């Protein structure tokens, strides 16, 4: 696997590992042994980029993912790029499967959050620290100022924004240069392609979360009933309803044809397409299965030409597909 450079010369593997699913939103959490097997396979495949957040956990253990990774990644800490996030909490009064998010971008919140994350992750610094969602009640300049202080103190070496607009990116970047944005991006969710020009102008990387549309683009799921278990957000996602799955039949059939032509899987084509789009895009697919992780990492070996990417883009613009999950509701404080 080759190396990609996000902003500010931060080097990461072409494909990273989004670790959320081991603890949050996909049903049963991973055991430490299962997590160790996944991390070991990721390292063996050349992955150096691991992503978590302080809120990736369960009702019983809200910080499960950081604690788990703090143990599992300890032997590899000096060989990897470790990213985490702060600045949101769940509305625990909600009864929905995916509880609304309440942003909090106050400097005092950020400074308190980093201490907890460093402790749980067993490290003295984070390589990349994001504000997890934008708090529209706090000027982004104040949030950026707090991140700048953390960098000056050596607690983080780079910072970023998640689900950010061009205006927010520009304002934040003026206060403290941004290394990466982490936004939702997949063949089914291309809204943030409009940010490519500003990212190129400011030399900021794009970390793509949910690059497989929460798993739909693996072509492994065929019935809504597969997600009817506690804590699995997919049970409430439009692409996984029975109607959504039917709406995507033509799209998924087309994906399988392209995959067969390249001796690959639909998931690998999805990730290879993303890598071929721009040299600063780094997808961070997640999984709890070793074989699926291996499949994801091997996507970097599949090369698409610019003509092939153009052809795929044209097809994506016209082929029928369902609505896709666009993220948990953002709720005012």
């Amino acid at each position: 696997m080759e190396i990609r450079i996000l902003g500010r010369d931060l080097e990461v593997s072409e494909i990273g590992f989004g670790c959320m699913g081991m603890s949050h939103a996909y049903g049963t959490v991973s055991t430490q042994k299962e997590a160790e097997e996944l991390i070991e396979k990721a390292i063996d495949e050349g992955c150096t980029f691991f992503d978590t957040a302080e809120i990736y956990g369960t009702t019983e253990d809200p910080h499960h993912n950081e604690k788990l990774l703090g143990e599992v990644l300890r032997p590899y800490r000096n060989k990897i790029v470790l990213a985490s996030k702060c600045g949101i909490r769940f509305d625990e009064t909600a009864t929905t499967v995916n509880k609304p998010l309440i942003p909090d971008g106050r400097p005092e919140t950020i400074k308190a959050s980093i201490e907890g994350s460093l402790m749980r992750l067993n490290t003295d610094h984070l390589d990349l620290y994001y504000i997890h969602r934008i708090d529209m009640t706090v000027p982004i300049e104040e949030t950026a100022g707090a991140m700048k202080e953390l960098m000056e103190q050596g607690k983080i070496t780079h910072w970023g924004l998640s689900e950010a607009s061009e205006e927010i990116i520009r304002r934040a970047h003026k206060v403290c240069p941004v290394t990466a944005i982490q936004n939702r991006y997949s063949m089914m969710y291309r809204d943030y392609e409009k940010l490519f020009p500003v990212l190129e102008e400011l030399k900021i990387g794009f970390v793509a979360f949910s690059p497989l549309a929460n798993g739909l683009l693996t072509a492994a799921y065929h019935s809504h009933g597969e997600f009817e278990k506690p804590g699995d957000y997919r049970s409430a996602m439009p692409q996984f309803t029975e109607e959504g799955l039917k709406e995507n039949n033509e799209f998924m059939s087309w994906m399988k044809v392209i995959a067969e032509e390249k001796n690959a899987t639909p998931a690998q084509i999805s990730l290879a397409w993303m890598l071929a789009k721009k040299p600063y895009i780094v997808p961070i697919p997640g999984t709890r299965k070793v074989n699926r992780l291996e499949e994801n990492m091997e996507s970097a070996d599949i090369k698409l030409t610019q003509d092939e990417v153009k052809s795929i883009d044209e097809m994506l613009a016209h082929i029928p597909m369902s609505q896709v999950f666009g993220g948990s509701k953002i709720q005012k404080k």
Side-chain angles (χ1 to χ4, degrees), residues 40-57:
E40 183 177 358
K41 172 55 69 174
I43 296 288
D44 287 346
E45 292 288 328
C47 180
T48 65
F49 189 27
F50 296 86
D51 180 271
T52 183
E54 66 175 347
I55 66 162
Y56 293 162

Side-chain angles (χ1 to χ4, degrees), residues 103 105 130-145 147 159-183 192 194-195 198-199 202 204:
Y130 299 97
I131 188 73
H132 207 155
R133 290 292 184 273
I134 306 304
D135 185 347
M136 301 309 293
T137 69
V138 177
I140 193 61
E141 290 81 1
E142 293 184 15
T143 301
M147 292 292 192
W159 85 287
L161 303 149
S162 186
E163 296 286 82
S165 66
E166 178 176 348
E167 178 200 1
I168 293 295
I169 292 169
R170 288 188 180 279
R171 287 168 55 193
H173 191 77
K174 286 182 180 178
V175 177
C176 184
V178 175
T179 290
I181 63 160
Q182 184 181 133
N183 285 9
Y192 288 117
K194 62 189 175 187
L195 293 178
V198 68
L199 299 182
L202 301 179
I204 297 172

Side-chain angles (χ1 to χ4, degrees), residues 47-261:
C47 180
T48 65
F49 189 27
F50 296 86
D51 180 271
T52 183
E54 66 175 347
I55 66 162
Y56 293 162
T58 64
T59 302
E60 297 76 22
D61 189 355
H63 304 301
H64 181 271
N65 203 240
E66 284 191 332
K67 292 177 183 176
L68 182 64
L69 292 180
E71 292 299 319
V72 175
L73 285 174
R74 190 200 295 260
Y76 312 104
R77 182 64 188 96
N78 64 348
K79 301 177 182 178
I80 65 168
V81 171
L82 183 57
S84 192
K85 313 177 200 73
C86 66
I88 53 173
R89 58 185 173 85
F90 290 109
D91 177 7
E92 295 296 344
T93 66
T95 57
T96 52
V97 175
N98 49 329
K99 299 180 186 299
L101 302 171
I102 302 175
D104 187 349
R106 294 174 297 168
E108 56 266 35
T109 299
I110 294 169
K111 293 173 184 178
S113 292
I114 188 64
E115 301 302 333
S117 289
L118 292 178
M119 178 186 66
R120 290 185 290 269
L121 288 165
N122 286 313
T123 186
D124 62 357
H125 76 282
L126 290 177
D127 303 296
L128 181 55
Y129 198 41
Y130 299 97
I131 188 73
H132 207 155
R133 290 292 184 273
I134 306 304
D135 185 347
M136 301 309 293
T137 69
V138 177
I140 193 61
E141 290 81 1
E142 293 184 15
T143 301
M147 292 292 192
K148 184 177 182 180
E149 285 185 42
L150 296 184
M151 291 178 69
E152 291 169 346
Q153 295 165 5
K155 295 178 180 178
I156 66 175
T157 58
H158 300 81
W159 85 287
L161 303 149
S162 186
E163 296 286 82
S165 66
E166 178 176 348
E167 178 200 1
I168 293 295
I169 292 169
R170 288 188 180 279
R171 287 168 55 193
H173 191 77
K174 286 182 180 178
V175 177
C176 184
V178 175
T179 290
I181 63 160
Q182 184 181 133
N183 285 9
R184 183 181 303 275
Y185 185 48
S186 73
M187 284 183 166
M188 297 184 73
Y189 196 97
R190 300 170 61 194
D191 300 30
Y192 288 117
E193 289 184 356
K194 62 189 175 187
L195 293 178
F196 289 169
V198 68
L199 299 182
E200 289 163 13
E201 175 191 339
L202 301 179
K203 296 180 173 56
I204 297 172
F206 189 120
V207 176
F209 76 85
S210 295
L212 299 177
N214 303 98
L216 181 75
L217 296 175
T218 64
Y221 302 107
H222 310 287
S223 169
H224 180 72
E226 296 179 62
F227 310 112
E228 293 176 356
K229 50 189 175 184
D232 195 329
Y233 280 24
R234 289 171 294 185
S235 64
M237 292 182 183
Q239 68 267 39
F240 291 115
T241 63
E242 295 298 345
E243 180 182 357
L245 289 167
K246 290 178 182 178
E247 288 178 313
N248 291 317
N249 276 338
E250 183 180 347
F251 175 41
M252 296 313 300
S253 295
W254 169 73
M255 285 290 292
K256 290 175 183 177
V257 170
I258 295 177
E260 288 174 5
E261 290 175 353

